[in-house]
């Protein structure tokens, strides 16, 4: 976050400095003379600055244009080195011109009228200074190793979050709740017990019928007709009871 803010501020300063440098040659530099009227190669000769005119790309416009282009490239590629080089070129040529102009005139004067240094020199100096400040403020591009390590760390964090999401989703599907839980209970209740057949799909729920093989064994013995309770023949006693009653008593006694 801090690196991004620094880069943004540095890029803005560099762009403003490049714009000031491009505007400077079209303003007054000394005694009403524009910057594009000074020959750039006269700065490196023994004669120094003369009153001779110059073409646009042979004047002070050329070094300032180079500085502005380098500043824009530094902004595009986020290169502190390019922005720093642009500031040095712009500021250096402006100072060199001031030195050579002072040698030619004997002294430099700064007045409010058009007899001394003009606003063009101030714009060139300001543009170069802003480029240097922008280069100092910019965080620059991260190194390849640092950028690679940061990408790997972010990838590990994303993978960890994905694993956590998968685990939470599995827990949620393993234990249904709410409407899903009630639907699951309904389905479980409709499942027939082992050995019973479920009704076909689409039919209303029916009671499951037991198969013949699931029924218990039939009672053994010969049924004997029941006697009246007030019958006079009580001698026979237990011998007249049905086989079913005897089987029931034998089971209870066991």
């Amino acid at each position: 976050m801090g690196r991004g803010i620094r880069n943004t501020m540095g890029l803005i300063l560099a762009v403003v400095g490049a714009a000031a440098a491009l505007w400077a040659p079209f303003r007054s530099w000394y005694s009403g003379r524009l910057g594009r009227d000074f020959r750039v190669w006269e700065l490196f000769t023994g004669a120094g600055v003369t009153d001779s005119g110059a073409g646009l790309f042979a004047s002070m416009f050329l070094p300032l244009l180079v500085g502005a282009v380098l500043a824009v490239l530094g902004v595009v590629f986020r290169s502190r080195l390019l922005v720093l080089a642009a500031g040095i070129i712009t500021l250096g040529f402006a100072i060199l011109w001031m030195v050579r102009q002072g040698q030619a005139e004997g002294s430099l004067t700064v007045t409010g009228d058009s007899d001394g240094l003009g606003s063009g020199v101030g714009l060139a100096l300001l543009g170069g200074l802003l480029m240097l400040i922008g280069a100092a403020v910019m965080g620059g591009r991260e190194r390849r190793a640092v950028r690679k390590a940061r990408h790997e760390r972010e990838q590990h964090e994303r993978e960890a979050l994905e694993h956590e999401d998968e685990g939470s989703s599995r827990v949620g599907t393993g234990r249904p709740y709410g409407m899903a839980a009630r639907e699951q209970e309904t389905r479980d209740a409709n499942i027939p017990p082992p050995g019973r057949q479920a009704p076909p799909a689409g039919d209303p729920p029916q009671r499951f019928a037991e198969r013949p093989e699931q029924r218990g064994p039939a009672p053994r013995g010969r049924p004997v007709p029941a006697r009246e309770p007030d019958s006079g023949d009580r001698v026979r006693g237990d011998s007249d009871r049905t086989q079913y009653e005897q089987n029931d008593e034998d089971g209870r006694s066991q």
Side-chain angles (χ1 to χ4, degrees), residues 58-75:
S59 65
M60 291 298 297
F61 175 75
L62 180 61
L64 299 181
L65 175 63
V66 173
V69 171
L70 290 178
V72 172
L73 291 177
V75 169

Side-chain angles (χ1 to χ4, degrees), residues 68-91:
V69 171
L70 290 178
V72 172
L73 291 177
V75 169
V76 172
F77 295 103
R78 295 187 180 183
S79 174
R80 298 178 60 186
L81 183 60
L82 289 177
V83 177
L84 180 63
I88 292 174
I89 291 174
T90 303
L91 197 61

